[in-house]
Amino acid sequence: LKAVSKSKLPTLFIHGDSDDLLPSQMSLNLHAALNAEKELCIIEGSDHAYNCYRDEFKVALKNFLNNL
């Protein structure tokens, strides 16, 4: 959190709400700590690996990059 709070880089946080490895709260905390352009995308039903949710991932990434 300390390092993220010092970053000035635009950041897209993507997390699956069904992630059993890393709780989605971690992305929420990192997003809140960042003092730069940022976006948070929580992919409903996705686990840690996004393999089944590639389309949602691509849309979120494309939207983020288009808005920079």
Side-chain angles (χ1 to χ4, degrees):
L1 290 175
K2 286 181 188 178
V4 168
S5 70
K6 295 175 185 177
S7 176
K8 300 300 178 202
L9 296 173
T11 304
L12 170 60
F13 297 93
I14 300 180
H15 209 112
D17 71 348
S18 297
D19 189 339
D20 291 333
L21 183 62
L22 299 171
S24 56
Q25 185 63 45
M26 293 176 77
S27 284
L28 295 170
N29 295 344
L30 291 168
H31 180 265
L34 183 64
N35 293 312
E37 191 167 344
K38 60 189 173 185
E39 189 171 325
L40 175 64
C41 177
I42 302 293
I43 299 177
E44 192 172 325
S46 179
D47 61 6
H48 185 70
Y50 306 117
N51 289 329
C52 299
Y53 296 87
R54 287 188 178 147
D55 291 338
E56 290 89 339
F57 176 83
K58 288 177 187 177
V59 167
L61 182 57
K62 182 178 177 181
N63 290 339
F64 179 73
L65 294 174
N66 285 336
N67 289 322
L68 289 180

